[in-house]
């Protein structure tokens, strides 16, 4: 009867542990860094161009209402605030290089994750609030010249678009960003555990 007993713990210990492919992991880290830097540059260019366009509209059309001017300022402040904080990630992404240890990679990824969470919660919330207030104030001067029906349609479409971005696009983007960084963090944690 004793010969039929199998020591599962002993078999488990003797089993070959699948080592994560370090070259594959480094390629993923490099791709993550490249995508992060590309996203930073795209955001900077897009928000700079948008701000320049808004300033051009202010200069060219010379709005009369103070609400329009306040709206323009709020929209630009929202973009400057977002880009200013978002650019804090630039240094962290650039600091990731091939000469670091696994522990250093892990620390950088955790730092990026914390910054992303701050961006996704606090900064993005303020960005949307300021942008929403800015757009609504900006539109007031032009909506006041419309009939009530068209003014409601205009505000309705604008609010629907902002709501769509806030409730659908933002959570989807956050989930995607978190999945990418969490996958890398887990893999580096696994490697560090195996090296200990």
């Amino acid at each position: 009867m004793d010969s039929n007993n199998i020591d599962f713990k002993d078999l488990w210990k003797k089993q070959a542990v699948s080592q994560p492919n370090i070259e594959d992991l480094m390629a993923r880290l490099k791709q993550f860094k490249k995508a992060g830097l590309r996203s930073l540059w795209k955001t900077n260019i897009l928000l700079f161009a948008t701000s320049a366009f808004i300033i051009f509209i202010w200069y060219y059309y010379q709005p009369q209402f103070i609400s329009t001017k306040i709206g323009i300022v709020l929209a630009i402040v929202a973009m400057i605030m977002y880009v200013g904080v978002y650019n804090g990630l630039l240094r962290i992404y650039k600091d990731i290089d091939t000469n670091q240890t696994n522990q250093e990679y892990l620390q950088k990824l955790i730092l990026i994750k914390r910054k992303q969470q701050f961006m996704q919660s606090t900064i993005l919330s303020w960005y949307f609030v300021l942008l929403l207030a800015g757009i609504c104030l900006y539109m007031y001067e032009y909506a006041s010249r419309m009939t009530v029906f068209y003014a409601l349609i205009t505000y309705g479409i604008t609010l629907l678009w902002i709501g769509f971005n806030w409730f659908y696009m933002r959570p989807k983007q956050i989930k995607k960003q978190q999945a990418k960084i969490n996958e890398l963090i887990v893999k580096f944690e696994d490697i560090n555990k195996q090296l200990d």
Side-chain angles (χ1 to χ4, degrees), residues 9-153:
K9 283 185 182 177
D10 190 42
L11 280 175
W12 186 259
K13 287 178 187 175
K14 290 177 184 173
Q15 178 178 300
V17 178
S18 63
Q19 297 288 332
N21 185 343
I22 195 73
E23 289 82 19
D24 178 54
L25 187 55
M26 294 311 288
R28 286 181 187 210
L29 181 66
K30 191 175 181 180
Q31 184 181 13
F32 174 78
K33 176 184 175 179
K34 199 174 187 180
L37 288 171
R38 190 173 38 245
S39 176
L40 274 163
W41 286 112
K42 280 182 189 175
T43 302
N44 274 284
I45 291 166
L46 183 65
L47 291 183
F48 175 77
T50 305
S51 296
F53 180 70
I54 290 170
I55 290 168
F56 168 76
I57 288 174
W58 185 350
Y59 175 77
Y60 187 78
Y61 288 103
Q62 295 292 314
Q64 303 301 310
F65 290 15
I66 190 74
S67 62
T68 311
K69 295 171 185 173
I70 292 171
I72 290 171
V73 169
L74 284 177
I76 292 172
V77 165
M79 290 181 231
I80 290 171
M81 176 201 64
Y82 185 81
V83 165
V85 176
Y86 193 41
N87 283 341
L89 285 170
L90 184 63
R91 183 184 50 80
I92 301 168
Y93 278 118
K94 284 188 171 185
D95 283 350
I96 296 174
D97 66 33
T98 54
N99 299 325
Q100 294 175 323
T101 66
N102 290 337
Q103 190 62 37
E104 288 171 324
Y105 288 133
L106 184 59
Q107 294 305 316
K108 293 277 188 235
L109 290 171
I110 290 170
L111 184 60
I112 289 171
K113 182 178 178 175
R114 276 197 221 122
K115 288 246 185 207
Q116 279 182 347
Q117 287 172 333
F118 177 69
M119 286 288 302
Q120 293 160 350
S121 58
T122 309
I123 299 302
L124 208 52
S125 296
W126 276 107
Y127 173 76
F128 269 98
V129 167
L130 289 171
L131 196 62
L132 177 64
I135 289 171
C136 288
L137 286 169
Y138 174 79
M139 289 172 45
Y140 177 72
E141 180 174 344
Y142 306 104
S144 68
R145 297 175 189 159
M146 300 176 188
T147 64
V148 174
F149 175 75
Y150 285 115
L152 289 174
I153 294 277

Side-chain angles (χ1 to χ4, degrees), residues 25 28 109 178-188:
L25 187 55
R28 286 181 187 210
L109 290 171
Q178 287 177 345
K180 283 181 184 177
I181 198 159
N182 286 341
E183 182 185 353
L184 282 171
I185 287 172
V186 165
K187 289 191 184 291
F188 274 105

